[in-house]
Amino acid sequence: MNRLPKHIAIIMDGNGRWAKKQNQPRVFGHKNGVKSVREVSEAAAELGVEYLTLYAFSTENWSRPKLEVSALMSLLVETIRKEVSTLMENNIRLKAIGDLGKLPDRTLEALREGIEITQNNSRMTLILALNYSARWEILAAAKKLHWDATKGLDTEKLTEEIFSQYLTTHDIPDPELLVRTSGEQRISNFLLWQIAYTELYFTETFWPDFRKKDLYEAIINFQNRERRFGKISEQLA
Ligand code: FPP
């Protein structure tokens, strides 16, 4: 328990394939994926994980069939509205990262409401990455920096710490562990700046099948790794 990752990020993948395996529409997979979101959030909070980031919708996901996109947006609204009371009971704060202004009004409204109601909760922060992509985030940071430079910011003095302050994750520590489900071994434009030293964990399990024990397995796997941050083993002792 004293080597628990403070921040876990998850690429929830495989909903569509999970549904297809059972001859069901893709949306059936997303609906069941919500159960995993619930279970994993609960498990992470119980353990004492401080931040849990879930990749729920990428900027690239807009190019999916229209019906699937609108079903996902509705599911988000429905889930946030339904789960706010659970978040309150469990003292969990909701946050979101991404280009949120481009989300449909209804989604944004539910999200803002959920964030506002839970803003003073302190046990764990649940961060939904919505209309998020890391390149969008880094580019947006560069644009803001450029603006500040025209207002007098000395870019010669820029450090990694200062640059991090321009990212949507400015108030969130970098994740120690990144999990991707469904056997795909890619980062898919997720938190590129923040995962420089993150341990990556890939599992074959499809997201709708991901349960508490799968999260424990990922954490135990993480705990058995040696994080050297560029040093050699002997220096760590
Ligand atoms: C990836 O599976 C999953 C998504 C793009 C959406 C994830 C959304 C949810 C689990 C539901 C809502 C979430 C919250 C936080 C309330 P995929 O569709 O890419 O699966 P595939 O690779 O098998 O096609």
Side-chain angles (χ1 to χ4, degrees):
M1 287 301 283
N2 56 13
R3 288 193 58 205
L4 206 61
K6 209 177 182 177
H7 181 181
I8 301 177
I10 305 183
I11 302 177
M12 310 180 287
D13 197 10
N15 293 353
R17 277 164 288 159
W18 182 87
K20 202 172 165 197
K21 243 181 25 184
Q22 318 174 47
N23 289 319
Q24 295 283 348
R26 296 178 54 82
V27 175
F28 182 68
H30 298 316
K31 283 191 178 149
N32 281 275
V34 173
K35 290 183 195 158
S36 307
V37 169
R38 210 168 191 276
E39 177 138 344
V40 166
S41 307
E42 192 181 294
E46 281 167 1
L47 284 174
V49 171
E50 290 176 39
Y51 299 86
L52 176 68
T53 302
L54 303 177
Y55 205 0
F57 196 86
S58 75
T59 49
E60 290 81 17
N61 285 150
W62 295 111
S63 51
R64 291 192 172 199
K66 254 191 163 153
L67 205 66
E68 181 173 344
V69 172
S70 64
L72 269 170
M73 290 300 149
S74 304
L75 196 58
L76 272 163
V77 174
E78 199 184 300
T79 308
I80 296 169
R81 293 243 153 94
K82 216 167 95 192
E83 299 296 343
V84 165
S85 54
T86 321
L87 294 176
M88 289 310 289
E89 279 160 32
N90 290 284
N91 195 11
I92 297 172
R93 176 169 68 135
L94 184 67
K95 264 184 83 86
I97 55 169
D99 195 357
L100 306 177
K102 296 210 176 82
L103 291 171
D105 291 345
R106 258 167 42 85
T107 312
L108 195 55
E109 200 185 307
L111 194 63
R112 287 210 172 120
E113 230 174 72
I115 291 171
E116 200 185 306
I117 297 172
T118 62
Q119 63 181 337
N120 294 321
N121 292 348
S122 57
R123 185 172 174 211
M124 183 178 86
T125 304
L126 174 65
I127 304 139
L128 300 183
L130 284 169
N131 194 22
Y132 175 88
S133 95
R135 286 185 175 179
W136 160 81
E137 178 185 40
I138 294 169
L139 197 59
K143 287 179 186 171
K144 274 185 250 158
L145 249 168
H146 172 72
W147 173 255
D148 285 356
T150 65
K151 296 275 175 273
L153 174 85
D154 184 356
T155 49
E156 283 299 320
K157 296 212 174 88
L158 200 60
T159 60
E160 290 182 8
E161 285 68 32
I162 297 172
F163 189 83
S164 302
Q165 289 306 307
Y166 284 83
L167 299 171
T168 55
T169 51
H170 59 90
D171 50 353
I172 304 164
D174 290 343
E176 286 102 328
L177 172 62
L178 171 69
V179 174
R180 182 171 189 151
T181 59
S182 90
E184 306 293 352
Q185 304 196 358
R186 281 190 294 279
I187 300 302
S188 301
N189 217 346
F190 192 41
L191 302 175
L192 294 181
W193 172 278
Q194 297 86 344
I195 59 166
Y197 283 101
T198 301
E199 296 294 330
L200 309 180
Y201 177 84
F202 300 102
T203 168
E204 295 290 322
T205 307
F206 288 140
W207 179 248
D209 285 331
F210 199 87
R211 289 290 169 267
K212 287 188 181 182
K213 78 160 183 38
D214 299 286
L215 184 74
Y216 302 153
E217 271 171 26
I219 293 174
I220 290 166
N221 183 292
F222 162 85
Q223 290 177 325
N224 286 315
R225 296 185 191 187
E226 184 180 64
R227 305 187 74 208
R228 290 194 291 278
F229 301 98
K231 295 181 181 168
I232 65 167
S233 247
E234 287 72 13
Q235 288 175 301
L236 299 174

